[in-house]
Every structure is written in C-alpha cells, then in structure tokens.
Amino acid sequence: MNYRSALPLANVRLTRGFLAERTRLVRDVVIPYQWDALNDRVPGAEPSGCVHNFKVAAGEKEGKFYGLFWQDSDLAKWIEAASYRLATHPDAALDTELDRLIATIAKAQGADGYLNTFFQLVEPQNRWANLRDCHELYVAGHMIEAGVAHFRATGKRTLLVVVQKLADLIDRTFGLGPGQIPGYCGHEEIELALVKLARITGEIRYVRLAAYFVNQRGQQPNYLEEETKRRGDKLPWHMYFDGLATLQAARPVRELTEPVGHAVRQMYLLAAMADLAVELNDDSLLRSCHTLWDAIVRRHLYLTGGVGSEPYGEKFTEPFDLPPDRAYAETCAAIGVIFFARRMLDVKLRGEFADVMERALYNNVPSGISLDGTKFFYVNPLELIPAVAKRRYECHLVKTQRVGWFGCACCPPNVARLFASLGEYVASQRPDGLALHLYTEGDLRFTAAGTEVRLAVRTDYPWTEEVVLEVNPAEPAEFTLYLRIPGWCRAAALAVNGQPQSLAPVNGYAELTRAWQPGDTVTLTLPMPVERIHADPRVATVAGQVALQRGPIVYCFEEADHGANLAAVSLSRSAPITARHDTTLLGGCVVLESTAQRDPQSPSLYSTAAPAPAIVPFRAIPYGLWANRGEGEMRVWLRES
Amino acid sequence: MNYRSALPLANVRLTRGFLAERTRLVRDVVIPYQWDALNDRVPGAEPSGCVHNFKVAAGEKEGKFYGLFWQDSDLAKWIEAASYRLATHPDAALDTELDRLIATIAKAQGADGYLNTFFQLVEPQNRWANLRDCHELYVAGHMIEAGVAHFRATGKRTLLVVVQKLADLIDRTFGLGPGQIPGYCGHEEIELALVKLARITGEIRYVRLAAYFVNQRGQQPNYLEEETKRRGDKLPWHMYFDGLATLQAARPVRELTEPVGHAVRQMYLLAAMADLAVELNDDSLLRSCHTLWDAIVRRHLYLTGGVGSEPYGEKFTEPFDLPPDRAYAETCAAIGVIFFARRMLDVKLRGEFADVMERALYNNVPSGISLDGTKFFYVNPLELIPAVAKRRYECHLVKTQRVGWFGCACCPPNVARLFASLGEYVASQRPDGLALHLYTEGDLRFTAAGTEVRLAVRTDYPWTEEVVLEVNPAEPAEFTLYLRIPGWCRAAALAVNGQPQSLAPVNGYAELTRAWQPGDTVTLTLPMPVERIHADPRVATVAGQVALQRGPIVYCFEEADHGANLAAVSLSRSAPITARHDTTLLGGCVVLESTAQRDPQSPSLYSTAAPAPAIVPFRAIPYGLWANRGEGEMRVWLRES
C-alpha cells in the first residue's frame, strides 16, 4: 500500500467532478497517449525512446540507447499509472500490454539484478560511479514503485520479482558494511520506493535500507564530495548557488531547518522521511518533518500549492522569495508536496496537511495537464506575459502553451500516476472508522467495527458547498467518521439525518461518532464565499496585490477575457465579486465576476499624471484550467486599488 | 572635438554642485586610483594587467598577456580621461606619466600600425579573424579616442600619430575593395572614434571609413555569418535569443525600428549614426536615429536613464519590459545614452535630447560610482533585496555593494572619461550664440558675434530652483542665449536684469536674443515640486507603483532609513511630500520626506485579512547616491495606496 492508511484503490470509485474528471482523463486519454509517447508514436512531440531502450537491452531489437540517463523512469511511472488504472478499471488489453512489457523488462535485467538501460547499454563500466548526477537509484526507485503497483493491481509477481531482485542488489551494494558503497542517490526517490516494497512484501530490511539512505545523506566524510574528488570533476552548473545542498546532501537531513536545493528532490526526501518516521517511530526524523513542513508552508509555498521559485536548477531559494512570473513550481514538485502531505496525514490527522494537499491537487497539478489530456506544463508560473517569457532568460524554461512531451519528461507520467491513484488520497482508514480528506463524488468501501461500510459521497464540490454522505454499514455499527473541515472554510455546518450538529473540529476534522444505521445521511455544508487573499508583505513581488480563492480553487485572470496588459487591471477593495457556475466554460467551472479598473495606456513611458482608470468587466477562472484557450497573458495576483 | 558644437574643455570651468563634485572626484581620486588599478596596485581588487600587457608588447618587460581580449580598451579610456583632466587642470606629473605610457604604447605598435596586445602577444595568427567576438576594432576605437583627446589636451602628437597609423592600417584593411575584408566589428566603437579622428585631423577619409562600417553592418551576404561558418563555430551563449541581432548585425542599420541586442553596442552604434548623419547630411541615417531615439525613449528607457533590461547578454528585450529588480542598466549603456543624446543635440536643438541626457547623468551614471570615487557598479538595478539578488541566477551579475574593479572593467574608466569631459555636455556653441543644456555652477567662455563672452553660472541646481547667469561680453554684442527649459519643469520663469520676460520655449529652449551688455544678468527659475511619476501600465512590473522625482533627480528609498522589507511600504496618493536640503547627508542633497504606510508581517504566508498598515516616517534619497550607507534593500518604485 502506498500509504499506510489508504483504502485499496478498488474500494474507491470516483464518479464525477473536478478530480474524477482528471482521473477519467488519465484513464481514457493520458495513459494510452503516454504509451504512444513512450513508444515514440506521437507526431511532433519530442521522442522518448523508453520502450525502445528496454527492447534493445533485452536483445529484442538492435539499436542504440536514446535519451537521458534517467529515461527508464518515465516508463516506470507509466507502468505505475497503468497499474493503478487496472486496479480500478480492469482492461484485458492493457493487462496484456503490460505483461508483454514486463517480460521485456525482465529479460533486460542483468543476472545480478541490475536494471538500468543507460548503464547497461552505454556505460556499463560506470555503474554506481556517479551517484551525484546519474540518478541510478532514482530510476531503480521508480521501477520498484511500478513493481509494487503492478502487483497490487493484478496480483501478478512478474514485475515484483524483478524489482525485488534489483532491491536486493542495491541492499547488498550500499551500506556502511565492508565492501559496500557508503553512498546515496543525488536524486531522492529510492527511499520512499523501498518503504512501499517493504509494506507489500513485509520485508523490514527494505525499510532499513531506506533508513540507511536517509541517515547517511550529508554525513561526514561526505560521500558525494569524495566521489566528486575521485572523479576529479567539478560540481555541475545547477549546483551553482548551493553546492551539494542542491541535493540536500551538504548536511545530515535532521539538521535541515529550511527547504533547500532542487524542489522535487527535497519533497521526495521529506516524503520518505515521513514514511520512515512512521515505520520506525523515529522521533528525531518526525521533528525534522514537522520543522520542514512548517518552513515550507510558512515561507516557501506558492498559493497554488507549488514549490521551487528558482528556474536555474529548479530550486528553493530564500524564504518569501516567491515571484509569480519566475515561479518554477514544477508539476512534479507540487506532486511531491502532495506525497509529503499525504504521508504526514499518516503521521497525524491534521487539517493543514490535507489543506495543502488539496491546494496543490486543485491548482498547481491540474495546471500541468491540458483539458484534453494530451499536453503538459512542466513549469507552472503564476503570471505570464508570453512575449516577455519568450525573451527573458530566467523564463526560458517556461512554455507559454502546454506541449505534447518533453526531452526530460518527468512531469506527464507523474501527473498520470497521481490522478490514477487518487483514491489513496481521498480518505484514511482509521482504527475506529474513516477520515475523509477530499470531497468528491463517488463511493467508498471500508471496514469499521468489523463491518463493511459503503459510503456514498454526493456533491459537486469544489463548485458547490454541500456534501451529502450516505452511510451504509452492512449492519448497524458504532464508529467514527472524521470529516475534514477545510482551513479555508470559516462557517461549516453539519447535520446528521437532517439534524444540525454542533461542530467542534479537532485538528481540522469534525468527529462524528455514533451507531450508524444503513441509510444515515450526513450533510456537510462548506460555505465558499469568494476570499481575497493577501500574502505576507515579505513576499515582495506581490505586496499590495490580491488573489482570489473560492473553496480550494485559486483563480487567475486571462488575456482571453481581458485583452493583453493584465497589469493595467486592478480590483477595488470594495468591488463585490460574484461566483457563477458556467457549465459550458472549460468543461464546466465556477467563474468569478466583478468590475475592475483598467489604467489607460499612456502617451509617454513616464508621466506625472495619475492614471485615470476605466471601469471594465472582470472575470477570473480557476488557475488549474488556465491556458486552455490559446496563448495569452495570465495572472493570479492582481493589483488592489 | 568630441561634439561638433562642444566648447573646448578649457573654456568650461565647473566649480561646485552635484556634477562638478563628480568631476572633481574623477580628477582627484578616480584617475589616480584607476592608474593604480591599471598597474595592478589596488589591494583586493581584480587585477587589470593593462599596463603590464603594453610593457610586454613593447619589449620592456618579460611576461604573459593578462586579461580579456579587449583589455587594452580600459587603458585607452583612462588615457582619454586623464587627457581631459590635463585640458582643464594642467598637471606636470600626470603629463609626464602619460608621455612615458604613450612611449611604451608607441613601442608596442607593429610596424604596419597594428596595435592590440592580446593579438600581438597571444594570437598573432588570428588577427581580424573573429570580428564577431574579439573586439579588435573596438579596442582600436578606444585607442583612437585616447589619441584624439591627448592631442587636444596637450597639443602633442605622440599618441595621435600612433592612432592615425592604426586607423590607416584599418582603412587599408577593411572595405569592399579588392583584397579588403568586407567586415565590421562585433562591438561598435571604432565608428564614432573615426569621426573624432576626422574632426581633429580634417581627414574626411576617416568619416568615410566610419560610414563604411555603419553601412556594411548587417548587409547580405552577412559578413559575420560567413565568418562564423568559415570558423565552423557556433554563436556564443550571449546570442541565445537574438543571434547576430545581438550585435545589431542581422539587418542593415537603417531597417532597425526597435533597439536590439547588447545595449552598449546599440547605443554606440546610434552615437556613430548621429555623427555620420551630421557629417554626411545623410537623411536616411538621420531618420533611423530619430526612429530609434523615439523607440528607446518611449519603450525601453528606465526612469534613471538606463537601458538594457536583460542581464543575460546585457541586452534590450521587448518594449516595456523594464523590471526594476532585473534591470541591467549597465553604467556604460547609460553613458552610451548620453553619447547618443549629446550628438542628437548637434543634429537638432531639442529639449528631449537634453532631458534624457540629464536623466542619465544625474541618476544612472552616478549610481555607477561611490561617493568616495573608489568603488563602482556595473549593473544599476532600480530595486534590490540583497539576499534575493545573491540567490537568484538572473541577478547573479548584480553587486549588492560597489566593488573596486571588475575582471571586465569597462564601466569605471567610462565614468571617468565622461565626468572628466563634462564641459562638452554643458553647452553648445551656436552660430548665433550659445545653447545651455545643463545648469551647474561654473564659468564658460565662448564667442558670439565675434566677441568673446564670459558666462558665469551661479546656482545650486539640482537642489535649488534658481539659476543666475551673468553675461560678460568683452564688448556689447547682439547674440542669442538658448536656455533649456527642462521637460520636467512646468512653470519656468525668466528675468533679464530683474525684468520678467515672457517665456515661449522653442523645442524646449527659451531663446533670449538681445544686445548683451557686460554685467547683464539672467535669472531662470525652474520650480521643482516633488513629482509623482507613473509608468505606462504596459511596464507590467511597476504598474500601480509610483516613483518620486524632483527636478532631474529620481529618488529611491533605502533600508538604511526604513529597515528591511521595503515592499511592505506604500505611499498614499494624498500624502504631502516635503523636500528638505540636508547638507550633511551623502555629501549634501535634497531628501524627500513624508509619512507612509507599512503593512505588518503576517502570522501566515497567505491570509484573508486585509493588511492593517501602520503609519511610518518616509524618506527618499537621490537614486544616484544609493548604496553609500552599507548593504541593504533599495527601491525606486513604491506602491501607491
């Protein structure tokens, strides 16, 4: 199981709504589309070479390795996503396709368990020689996650045995014992994968290996420093500012007090630390998780749930340095935020963990994928002027429109595996019942007080305020439903079978303990006024500006609705804002409408005349749905006047 | 003469005030300091190697070339500055030092006239082989400017003959004739130098050579493209966005409609184009000058008079893309703006040319040099948060405090030669009198109606509003004084001998024609209310913000007065602002004072509560004097509330 408390995917059926729509898109469009991409069959998209590389390594095909040295991981993530899909929507053709692919992978694996097509085909002599840059353990981690997911979905051990053999090789190779390499990967990932492997196999040594990787990181003598000296090379460009701290490897992980370096790596490390804190009851690791959580949420988180404000090296920078136009906010990093948050919910049921998870899930992550499921963003800025972004170096990684694939294609399959496994994020099985984190229409099955319970969720959240739960235990049973009261909600109301209940959430969750009867209904009302959000003024780039949020949805405004030069538009502090459900726009969503002021263009570049703004109509759309109406300007933060 | 209409430097004595103080600083501190720097005698500063290189090339010393391939130009610019100093302040020791240095340079020159220590000492085989990158003609241009300045200051031909020999070699080598190289330099500079050489020698062929370089630029077949192919190399990184347009070499110069590429190069090219338009009465070139002038002033000019908003390649970008924190606004580029503006005043007496010249001269350029004259900025941002600038790649060329020297040290000697020759910018000799562009205390001598006129300027401009001119013709004479009415001034008043005069400026200049008597006085009053400046909203990064200006001085506010997090401070639209002359602060200046609002820090990163600002005292100082009180935040643009 990915998360200790997650319901099995087959027990969560998401039927309708914003998140379910993305899950459907992944199932029906993205997974087949990415399979084509991984097989280099998408015209116009950058080639992947993934399947090709494995066929060559398996001796099924002649040819050369194509791509970057972490290329295998794209395929691994896709297998993981496809397996999640099989878990919820059995599909014989996909099942067979996976069997065939897994047979190739198994054939490609070395006799000793080694599996990495770059090092097998291109640099066999350099195996494990450059842990700093070469992502070997990262790639192995993704393959392990794929093996675990495939086994859980299908019950087949075909890929699981491959990845166990690989994990066993790694276990033998790395560590502080005689003859072992006292190293760890420059890109974290193997750690959380090993925890998953341990959970599915029951083999505690995989947890110990993960703990070794986490604990050894940044210890003196510094392995990556020694390795660098041994090779006689220099730190690569992306370590310009932070050196080995780019890889969270300058100091032991328990000494970190601010997030540092490459954002995805930092988030994956934290996810693994949270896993290990739970598995090993490791208090010092847990304290570090809390410290870093607080640092990220208080000083480093974009309003959209993204992290990483420095494109040069895809990194965290200084506290409060969150420029909207230079946001990197990589799709993978926001997914990493979700991984960390979901694991922290296994540490402790605390509303803030789910709030942040929801923020990333409804905003930064859907920005990463087009409405039709075939195009992707890697970078998700909070402000874009296309002509400027195309011309300024610090924006040269920003795409002004989503693209079909990337040379470094980490994000698209990451989105796929996240949405395909969304059921694991919706709720947590609790010893005494169930905690519901995300409200989205569907049906859940879980066990409480020894009884199987079916829970029907009826809602049009996040567009509407009411969530109706129908509780159907197989037979009457006493248990607790923990219902998340979102942090953004200030006047939630609760009724059971039409009877209002007093609401005193504990740590952000309302606890409803009772002897549940089949057919009991719970009505949760989560009023969603339009909120005007202000950032701490230390976020210098948006001081004096306002962003709009309704429920979990962060809004943006686009050139498609306002013409160019969005910076000329400001919203008065007193302008009333109306939320309107537009069922046709962007697949159906709530738009925010108001009037705003637009400063006129000036006859001279600088003028002593105060601008005399005109009143113009204003419309904001959900940020997660931006850039689906052609190329144009976009802003989340807007001037308040 | 640098400018056709300039008064000889010896005829302009600047005695007191903001500009005179910088001229004095250059004379007393900067020129000796830079002489030490060029001789590698400044502890802690990056070495220069300039004098060393010439001694080695002259055979006076053993050793290797040190530095970049345009290293010689730093020394040439210093010779030019030192010569200007000799013109206004004879100094036997400096004169001798220059003689000695020039003897070395003459010895270093090749028999054919070639002179460039890099190519003489390091790559003799590659002479003229890489015009795109190697700055050979640029370096020659600076040496020619030095030779012209030295001759004009001292009457000695020692360096002039050297540079004429060099110019003659270039004249033989380049052109469209048989056996000639049909190329031009990747970095413009030789063009304007040749015009100066022509003006001092009367040799029109140097103008023709300059015109060849300008006209051939960007013509098909494209020489730099061909040269690149011939070498088989690639365009270097700094041409990432614009290719050969980085060097204004993608199209013929008359086809340019927006400034493009490296800002200093663009400005030097324009300066040469203006020179040639005048020398050759070239209408099409003149039209291009006007088109580019308008484009720069309407869409590409920082409020401080700087240009170049892209650090990556030191370039112009899109119209209105003028982010204050990422301003490159290189000191040399602002000097280039002044060069262009001053030459346009020779094309036409138009106030806007002088307005822009004054803007750069009082703001961007003095920012480039510390109050004590020993430290320099290359990059002059309009907003700085030191911790962020040190951490973001797009700011990695920003220095948060001025430094003693640079590996690429173009700016410090450029500041020196500009301020040392300031007399050439103050006024223009007119056929019928004199035009006064800049008001600064001092004494001018010129000839009008056949009579020598002494003009005493008494003022504490830019701090005070009144300028008193005492006109002393050797004998009574009728001529015209053209007095610039600055564009920022909306209520100028004029009196002659105490009698108020009606004021109807033509093209920004009040014309006073009369039979002048010795002792006549003109009193010009230039009211300087504090102006609130707004940018066109297409300057997205400062939309809704305000900058303060009084007279020609642009203001900024600093951490030294307000503590950190300047973004939290906003100025209400109605706050009255007081100008106060503080004779002790920063060498004496007018500060602007008011009250402002400061948003409190927030307990959470994002909040739905509107900020409740506190009232705080507010003080702004002249931008040109910033960063003289330790490292700290600075902003020119501030939020208006």
Side-chain angles (χ1 to χ4, degrees):
Chain A
M1 192 159 312
N2 282 346
Y3 303 103
R4 261 206 172 176
S5 66
L7 300 181
L9 278 183
N11 290 9
V12 184
R13 207 164 57 89
L14 305 177
T15 48
R16 202 172 61 92
F18 186 95
L19 296 180
E21 172 55 21
R22 262 116 213 111
T23 297
R24 185 200 64 74
L25 205 61
V26 163
R27 187 171 69 234
D28 295 349
V29 180
V30 178
I31 289 175
Y33 173 86
Q34 293 190 352
W35 181 237
D36 285 341
L38 293 162
N39 281 281
D40 311 317
R41 295 191 295 243
V42 177
E46 294 200 47
S48 158
C50 268
V51 174
H52 162 88
N53 292 337
F54 274 98
K55 285 186 177 165
V56 174
E60 296 175 357
K61 186 180 177 186
E62 290 289 305
K64 282 191 168 172
F65 177 87
Y66 179 87
L68 303 159
F69 37 67
W70 58 79
Q71 208 77 354
D72 291 359
S73 64
D74 297 341
L75 186 67
K77 280 190 271 188
W78 180 82
I79 297 172
E80 190 186 340
S83 299
Y84 295 143
R85 186 196 152 169
L86 282 186
T88 56
H89 292 75
D91 175 331
L94 179 62
D95 195 20
T96 309
E97 193 92 81
L98 275 171
D99 285 345
R100 214 162 19 219
L101 175 65
I102 288 166
T104 300
I105 294 171
K107 239 196 281 181
Q109 186 169 38
D112 61 351
Y114 189 80
L115 182 63
N116 181 311
T117 67
F118 173 80
F119 283 95
Q120 291 174 287
L121 297 174
V122 185
E123 297 188 8
Q125 75 283 11
N126 287 330
R127 194 194 276 194
W128 314 131
N130 184 348
L131 299 181
R132 188 191 69 193
D133 300 338
C134 288
H135 293 48
E136 266 168 299
L137 291 164
Y138 164 91
V139 171
H142 276 302
M143 202 52 84
I144 291 168
E145 288 201 82
V148 170
H150 184 253
F151 170 70
R152 288 175 55 219
T154 63
K156 299 180 195 174
R157 296 190 166 269
T158 44
L159 189 55
L160 188 65
V161 298
V162 168
V163 301
Q164 259 196 282
K165 206 168 151 190
L166 172 60
D168 293 344
L169 169 70
I170 293 167
D171 195 24
R172 289 194 302 277
T173 307
F174 290 89
L176 300 176
Q180 289 185 306
I181 301 172
Y184 41 88
C185 192
H187 195 318
E188 300 90 331
E189 155 62 28
I190 182 84
E191 300 82 358
L192 63 87
L194 287 168
V195 173
K196 285 188 183 182
L197 186 62
R199 285 176 178 165
I200 205 79
T201 59
E203 299 253 25
I204 188 71
R205 67 199 167 93
Y206 297 132
V207 167
R208 280 200 218 102
L209 180 59
Y212 155 77
F213 282 133
V214 166
N215 292 332
Q216 175 65 358
R217 200 164 197 91
Q219 297 290 354
Q220 289 300 330
N222 189 302
Y223 179 80
L224 297 184
E225 211 169 279
E226 304 280 310
E227 188 201 73
T228 301
K229 275 190 215 148
R230 203 154 54 232
R231 279 195 311 275
D233 65 8
K234 283 189 181 162
L235 292 184
W237 64 269
H238 63 95
M239 299 189 195
Y240 179 80
F241 284 107
D242 301 310
L244 288 176
T246 305
L247 320 175
Q248 301 81 41
R251 292 189 297 167
V253 301
R254 286 171 184 78
E255 292 178 16
L256 292 176
T257 54
E258 292 284 329
V260 68
H262 189 266
V264 176
R265 300 180 204 216
Q266 175 69 83
M267 297 319 303
Y268 282 22
L269 170 62
L270 287 167
M273 285 165 63
D275 273 341
L276 291 169
V278 169
E279 290 298 332
L280 301 170
N281 281 313
D282 184 326
D283 273 353
S284 63
L285 213 47
L286 186 58
R287 267 199 305 279
S288 283
C289 288
H290 281 295
T291 300
L292 270 290
W293 174 272
D294 286 347
I296 290 168
V297 171
R298 313 274 170 264
R299 295 184 286 278
H300 295 273
L301 188 72
Y302 278 105
L303 187 63
T304 51
V307 291
S309 65
E310 165 67 285
Y312 196 81
E314 316 183 311
K315 292 195 203 178
F316 284 100
T317 66
E318 292 295 299
F320 303 104
D321 177 37
L322 294 164
D325 55 338
R326 287 162 279 162
Y328 201 66
E330 182 182 340
T331 308
C332 285
I335 292 171
V337 169
I338 292 170
F339 289 170
F340 182 35
R342 180 64 186 82
R343 283 165 173 87
M344 289 302 280
L345 282 169
D346 279 356
V347 165
K348 187 174 171 58
L349 197 64
R350 196 174 119 195
E352 192 182 66
F353 300 136
D355 288 343
V356 169
M357 180 170 88
E358 187 183 54
R359 186 177 285 286
L361 201 51
Y362 277 99
N363 300 291
N364 193 130
V365 175
S367 164
I369 179 168
S370 64
L371 266 185
D372 69 358
T374 64
K375 295 198 170 59
F376 306 91
F377 275 143
Y378 192 118
V379 184
N380 300 278
L382 279 76
E383 181 182 324
L384 178 74
I385 300 176
V388 170
K390 287 175 185 172
R391 187 56 195 71
R392 294 197 67 88
Y393 185 74
E394 68 270 23
C395 299
H396 79 288
L397 295 169
V398 171
K399 303 281 182 195
T400 58
Q401 297 200 276
R402 293 182 187 84
V403 299
W405 202 249
F406 302 90
C408 170
C410 50
C411 297
N414 230 353
V415 172
R417 67 183 185 134
L418 176 75
F419 280 119
S421 61
L422 204 64
E424 299 192 336
Y425 298 83
V426 170
S428 285
Q429 176 80 56
R430 305 278 299 175
D432 56 350
L434 189 87
L436 211 53
H437 310 307
L438 300 174
Y439 300 110
T440 183
E441 181 136 326
D443 299 286
L444 282 71
R445 276 185 296 133
F446 63 98
T447 303
T451 303
E452 187 178 82
V453 185
R454 287 173 179 269
L455 183 72
V457 184
R458 303 288 168 255
T459 184
D460 204 13
Y461 186 102
W463 312 128
T464 59
E465 301 175 343
E466 207 172 75
V467 180
V468 177
L469 310 177
E470 208 182 287
V471 188
N472 282 302
E475 47 196 83
E478 185 173 318
F479 58 86
T480 303
L481 282 181
Y482 295 83
L483 303 179
R484 172 174 160 252
I485 307 302
W488 50 259
C489 185
R490 290 189 275 185
L494 192 63
V496 176
N497 297 329
Q499 297 298 312
Q501 309 285 310
S502 73
L503 192 77
V506 177
N507 287 325
Y509 284 77
E511 300 181 6
L512 273 182
T513 307
R514 54 183 286 143
W516 295 95
Q517 307 292 325
D520 278 349
T521 62
V522 179
T523 306
L524 182 62
T525 310
L526 301 169
M528 295 180 178
V530 179
E531 300 280 9
R532 288 167 175 260
I533 310 291
H534 296 89
D536 186 296
R538 285 171 288 183
V539 185
T541 37
V542 298
Q545 299 186 24
V546 63
L548 302 178
Q549 186 171 337
R550 179 180 175 275
I553 300 289
V554 173
Y555 282 77
C556 70
F557 63 119
E558 282 195 300
E559 184 173 338
D561 298 311
H562 301 88
N565 194 203
L566 297 182
V569 178
S570 67
L571 199 61
S572 86
R573 280 181 190 78
S574 54
I577 301 168
T578 311
R580 184 173 63 79
H581 199 153
D582 185 328
T583 53
T584 58
L585 185 72
L586 297 164
C589 64
V590 169
V591 297
L592 306 185
E593 292 172 332
S594 183
T595 55
Q597 287 87 251
R598 178 183 265 279
D599 291 349
Q601 290 182 7
S602 176
S604 59
L605 185 52
Y606 302 110
S607 158
T608 54
I615 302 297
V616 293
F618 175 81
R619 178 156 82 157
I621 62 150
Y623 171 78
L625 303 177
W626 79 285
N628 278 296
R629 294 179 292 169
E631 183 176 275
E633 289 189 30
M634 180 277 292
R635 282 179 83 105
V636 168
W637 293 96
L638 94 140
R639 289 196 287 127
E640 216 173 17
S641 59
Chain B
M1 192 157 315
N2 282 346
Y3 303 103
R4 261 205 171 175
S5 65
L7 300 179
L9 278 182
N11 290 9
V12 184
R13 207 163 57 87
L14 304 178
T15 49
R16 201 172 63 91
F18 186 95
L19 296 180
E21 172 55 21
R22 262 113 213 113
T23 298
R24 185 201 63 76
L25 204 61
V26 163
R27 188 170 70 234
D28 295 347
V29 179
V30 179
I31 289 175
Y33 173 85
Q34 293 189 352
W35 181 237
D36 286 339
L38 294 161
N39 282 281
D40 311 317
R41 294 191 296 244
V42 177
E46 294 199 47
S48 156
C50 267
V51 175
H52 161 88
N53 292 338
F54 275 99
K55 286 188 175 164
V56 175
E60 296 175 357
K61 185 180 176 184
E62 290 288 307
K64 284 190 168 174
F65 177 87
Y66 178 86
L68 302 160
F69 37 66
W70 58 80
Q71 209 77 356
D72 290 0
S73 65
D74 297 341
L75 186 67
K77 280 191 272 188
W78 179 84
I79 296 172
E80 189 186 339
S83 299
Y84 296 142
R85 185 196 154 169
L86 281 186
T88 56
H89 292 75
D91 174 330
L94 180 61
D95 196 19
T96 310
E97 192 92 78
L98 275 171
D99 286 344
R100 212 162 19 218
L101 175 64
I102 288 166
T104 301
I105 293 171
K107 238 196 283 181
Q109 187 170 37
D112 61 353
Y114 190 81
L115 182 63
N116 182 310
T117 66
F118 173 79
F119 283 95
Q120 291 174 288
L121 297 175
V122 186
E123 297 188 8
Q125 73 285 9
N126 287 330
R127 195 195 274 197
W128 314 129
N130 184 348
L131 299 181
R132 190 191 69 194
D133 300 337
C134 288
H135 293 50
E136 266 169 296
L137 291 164
Y138 165 91
V139 171
H142 276 300
M143 200 53 83
I144 291 168
E145 287 202 81
V148 171
H150 184 252
F151 170 70
R152 288 175 55 220
T154 62
K156 299 181 194 175
R157 296 189 166 269
T158 43
L159 190 55
L160 188 64
V161 296
V162 169
V163 303
Q164 260 196 283
K165 206 168 151 191
L166 173 59
D168 293 345
L169 169 69
I170 292 168
D171 195 23
R172 289 194 304 278
T173 306
F174 289 89
L176 299 178
Q180 288 184 306
I181 300 173
Y184 40 88
C185 192
H187 195 317
E188 299 90 332
E189 153 64 26
I190 182 85
E191 299 82 358
L192 63 86
L194 287 168
V195 173
K196 285 188 183 182
L197 187 62
R199 284 176 178 164
I200 206 79
T201 60
E203 299 255 26
I204 187 70
R205 66 198 167 93
Y206 297 131
V207 168
R208 280 199 217 101
L209 180 59
Y212 155 77
F213 282 132
V214 166
N215 292 332
Q216 176 66 358
R217 200 165 199 90
Q219 298 288 354
Q220 289 300 330
N222 189 302
Y223 179 79
L224 297 185
E225 210 169 278
E226 305 278 310
E227 189 200 75
T228 301
K229 275 189 218 151
R230 205 155 51 234
R231 279 195 310 275
D233 64 8
K234 283 188 181 161
L235 293 183
W237 64 268
H238 62 94
M239 299 190 194
Y240 179 79
F241 285 107
D242 301 311
L244 288 175
T246 305
L247 320 174
Q248 301 81 40
R251 291 189 297 168
V253 301
R254 287 171 183 77
E255 293 178 14
L256 291 176
T257 54
E258 292 284 329
V260 69
H262 189 265
V264 176
R265 300 180 203 215
Q266 175 68 83
M267 296 321 302
Y268 281 22
L269 170 62
L270 286 167
M273 284 164 64
D275 272 342
L276 290 169
V278 169
E279 290 299 330
L280 301 170
N281 281 314
D282 185 326
D283 273 354
S284 62
L285 212 48
L286 186 58
R287 267 199 305 280
S288 281
C289 288
H290 281 296
T291 301
L292 269 291
W293 174 272
D294 286 347
I296 290 168
V297 171
R298 312 276 171 264
R299 295 184 286 279
H300 295 273
L301 189 71
Y302 277 104
L303 187 64
T304 51
V307 290
S309 65
E310 166 66 286
Y312 196 81
E314 315 182 315
K315 290 194 201 178
F316 284 100
T317 65
E318 293 295 299
F320 303 106
D321 177 36
L322 295 164
D325 56 337
R326 286 162 280 162
Y328 202 66
E330 181 182 340
T331 307
C332 284
I335 292 172
V337 168
I338 292 170
F339 289 170
F340 182 35
R342 180 63 186 83
R343 282 164 173 87
M344 290 303 279
L345 282 169
D346 278 357
V347 166
K348 185 173 172 61
L349 198 64
R350 194 174 119 196
E352 192 182 67
F353 300 136
D355 288 343
V356 169
M357 179 170 88
E358 187 183 56
R359 187 178 283 288
L361 201 51
Y362 276 100
N363 300 291
N364 193 129
V365 175
S367 164
I369 179 168
S370 65
L371 265 185
D372 70 357
T374 63
K375 297 198 169 55
F376 305 91
F377 275 141
Y378 193 118
V379 184
N380 299 278
L382 280 75
E383 181 182 325
L384 178 74
I385 301 176
V388 170
K390 288 175 185 171
R391 187 56 194 72
R392 295 196 65 89
Y393 186 73
E394 68 269 24
C395 299
H396 80 286
L397 296 169
V398 171
K399 303 279 184 198
T400 58
Q401 297 201 277
R402 293 181 187 84
V403 300
W405 201 248
F406 301 90
C408 169
C410 49
C411 297
N414 230 354
V415 173
R417 70 185 183 131
L418 176 76
F419 280 119
S421 60
L422 204 64
E424 299 192 334
Y425 298 82
V426 169
S428 286
Q429 177 80 55
R430 305 278 299 174
D432 56 350
L434 188 85
L436 211 52
H437 310 305
L438 299 175
Y439 299 111
T440 182
E441 180 135 327
D443 300 285
L444 284 70
R445 275 184 299 133
F446 63 98
T447 303
T451 305
E452 187 177 82
V453 186
R454 289 174 176 270
L455 182 70
V457 183
R458 303 288 168 255
T459 184
D460 203 11
Y461 186 100
W463 311 127
T464 59
E465 302 176 342
E466 206 172 78
V467 181
V468 178
L469 309 175
E470 208 182 287
V471 189
N472 282 302
E475 46 196 82
E478 184 172 317
F479 58 87
T480 303
L481 282 181
Y482 296 83
L483 302 180
R484 170 172 163 255
I485 308 302
W488 50 259
C489 186
R490 291 189 276 185
L494 193 63
V496 177
N497 298 330
Q499 297 297 310
Q501 308 285 310
S502 73
L503 191 77
V506 177
N507 288 324
Y509 283 78
E511 300 181 5
L512 273 182
T513 308
R514 54 183 286 144
W516 295 97
Q517 307 291 326
D520 277 350
T521 61
V522 178
T523 306
L524 181 62
T525 309
L526 301 169
M528 296 179 178
V530 179
E531 300 279 10
R532 288 168 177 259
I533 310 290
H534 295 90
D536 186 297
R538 285 170 288 184
V539 186
T541 38
V542 298
Q545 299 186 25
V546 64
L548 302 177
Q549 186 172 336
R550 179 180 175 273
I553 300 289
V554 172
Y555 281 77
C556 69
F557 64 119
E558 282 194 302
E559 184 172 336
D561 298 311
H562 300 89
N565 193 203
L566 298 181
V569 178
S570 67
L571 199 61
S572 86
R573 282 182 187 79
S574 55
I577 301 169
T578 313
R580 184 172 61 80
H581 199 152
D582 185 326
T583 53
T584 58
L585 185 71
L586 297 165
C589 64
V590 169
V591 296
L592 305 185
E593 293 171 331
S594 183
T595 53
Q597 287 86 251
R598 178 182 266 278
D599 291 348
Q601 289 183 5
S602 176
S604 59
L605 185 52
Y606 303 110
S607 157
T608 54
I615 302 296
V616 293
F618 175 81
R619 177 156 82 158
I621 63 151
Y623 171 78
L625 304 177
W626 79 285
N628 278 297
R629 295 179 291 170
E631 182 178 274
E633 289 189 31
M634 179 277 292
R635 283 179 83 104
V636 168
W637 293 96
L638 96 138
R639 289 195 288 129
E640 218 175 14
S641 58

